[in-house]
Amino acid sequence: MAEWPRPASGSESPRYAGPATFFRLPLRRTGLDIALFGVPFDGATTLRPGARLGPRALREASTLIRPRHGRSGLAPFELCQVADAGDAPVRPFDVAATLAEVEGFVAGLCAGGTAPLMAGGDHLMSLPVLRGLRRAGAAPSPPWGMVHLDAHSDTAGSFLGARFTHGTPFRHAVEEGLLAPARVVQIGLRGGSYGPDDLAWAREAGITLLDMPAVERMGVAGVVAEARRVIGTGPCWVSLDLDVLDPAFAPGTGTPEWGGLTPRELLGILDGLYGAQVVGGDVVELSPPQDHAGITALAGATLLFELLCLIAAARAG
Ligand code: MN
Ligand code: MN
């Protein structure tokens, strides 16, 4: 039996010392309940690039996170064996090859029943992670539900002739049977559109769309109740695009939209997901070149820990 992986304690060595890994965890790929890994790829970005640098910035910012969760008291590293599994292989000049590489990496990583927690990278990278989890064959069978926190629906058909961009992953995921649209809720949608109804496909597919006016109207408790109703008791994914936060709290993303969630609203929504069967998740679209003072990196690292706690709680029952 391999040793139980534990984060280096800030009371034994200063948190700024040593090589940066996620939450100061050891690097390891086997014998894990939950594998944290990066996908340093932004070749599917439609506007400002930079998310390829996200995983490194998240590792660095994650040294600020202490191992016990503040509001719940949950200690994920005692409940589950968690480690930094490094980065998935990517091909910066080839989207299709990267999709295949990431899928293969996740299929191997999760073959023994390990839950994936991905740090992006642009949002297209959620697609090969879902594909890889299916190929691993150890998680409950898809289609899965999903709580998708994002300013954007990411269900477009194509951009500039390309079908695989960070604006299209979840249309593919639905069409490929990875997600059950009736069990998908998108929270925080906002911003302008290109046509009169850019969300028509998502709506007709049966996805529940909670845009910012809906969030305002329903409040956090109402959003939580609706999200729990939609995902039900079956297995679900949590996908968190950092642009769901208002740019005041997360300027370092590729396609920011004004008028988004506050951190307190977002934490309230995530707190409401305890008890859901969360099989994995991702935090994507951190773009360090657009960040200031590490504001967005801290948000991303904090939210990665929030998702880790949700997955650990689900696995621990
Ligand atoms: Mn977005
Ligand atoms: Mn997105």
Side-chain angles (χ1 to χ4, degrees):
M1 269 300 267
E3 203 179 331
W4 190 287
R6 303 213 180 262
S9 169
S11 60
E12 284 161 21
S13 73
R15 285 191 277 169
Y16 46 81
T21 58
F22 291 117
F23 308 115
R24 307 189 78 209
L25 286 160
L27 284 164
R28 197 165 117 186
R29 284 188 182 159
T30 55
L32 300 177
D33 298 303
I34 305 170
L36 276 153
F37 62 97
V39 182
F41 182 82
D42 62 11
T45 308
T46 54
L47 194 59
R48 311 188 299 184
R52 66 177 62 184
L53 304 173
R56 279 206 171 180
L58 286 167
R59 285 189 173 91
E60 167 69 23
S62 76
T63 60
L64 284 155
I65 310 296
R66 296 182 190 87
R68 191 173 288 273
H69 187 258
R71 298 186 305 292
S72 69
L74 202 83
F77 306 117
E78 291 172 25
L79 285 176
C80 290
Q81 299 206 50
V82 190
D84 184 334
D87 285 345
V90 294
R91 306 261 202 99
F93 308 109
D94 191 333
V95 174
T98 297
L99 287 169
E101 293 271 16
V102 174
E103 177 185 338
F105 174 84
V106 174
L109 192 62
C110 299
T114 302
L117 178 51
M118 183 266 274
D122 72 45
H123 216 158
L124 179 63
M125 294 301 105
S126 299
L127 179 63
V129 176
L130 293 170
R131 286 172 172 173
L133 184 60
R134 168 162 62 188
R135 204 168 112 194
S141 300
W144 300 299
M146 178 171 70
V147 177
H148 175 201
L149 297 138
D150 199 327
H152 313 97
S153 170
D154 295 350
T155 52
S158 64
F159 279 117
L160 302 170
R163 292 179 59 242
F164 291 94
T165 81
H166 74 157
T168 66
F170 298 120
R171 186 187 290 215
H172 293 290
V174 168
E175 288 176 345
E176 294 174 19
L178 293 162
L179 296 174
R183 294 185 54 236
V184 172
V185 58
Q186 302 188 316
I187 302 167
L189 306 176
R190 62 189 188 276
S193 57
Y194 290 111
D197 194 2
D198 286 7
L199 300 177
W201 184 90
R203 193 177 296 108
E204 280 157 27
I207 292 173
T208 299
L209 307 171
L210 301 182
D211 60 12
M212 281 309 296
V215 172
E216 291 284 336
R217 202 166 55 243
M218 300 165 77
V220 167
V223 169
V224 164
E226 178 65 354
R228 292 301 292 266
R229 184 192 69 76
V230 171
I231 60 172
T233 54
C236 75
W237 189 258
V238 179
S239 189
L240 202 156
D241 183 331
L242 285 164
D243 68 29
V244 76
L245 287 166
D246 189 86
F249 306 108
T253 66
T255 49
E257 305 282 356
W258 223 52
L261 293 182
T262 66
R264 282 180 285 187
E265 288 168 335
L266 182 49
L267 292 175
I269 292 168
L270 294 173
D271 281 348
L273 299 182
Y274 279 96
Q277 197 191 338
V278 182
V279 296
D282 58 67
V283 174
V284 296
E285 297 287 350
L286 169 64
S287 179
Q290 282 93 36
D291 205 6
H292 301 274
I295 297 172
T296 319
L298 175 59
T302 303
L303 292 162
L304 207 54
F305 188 71
E306 296 288 331
L307 264 52
L308 175 67
C309 289
L310 282 172
I311 300 166
R315 286 183 77 96

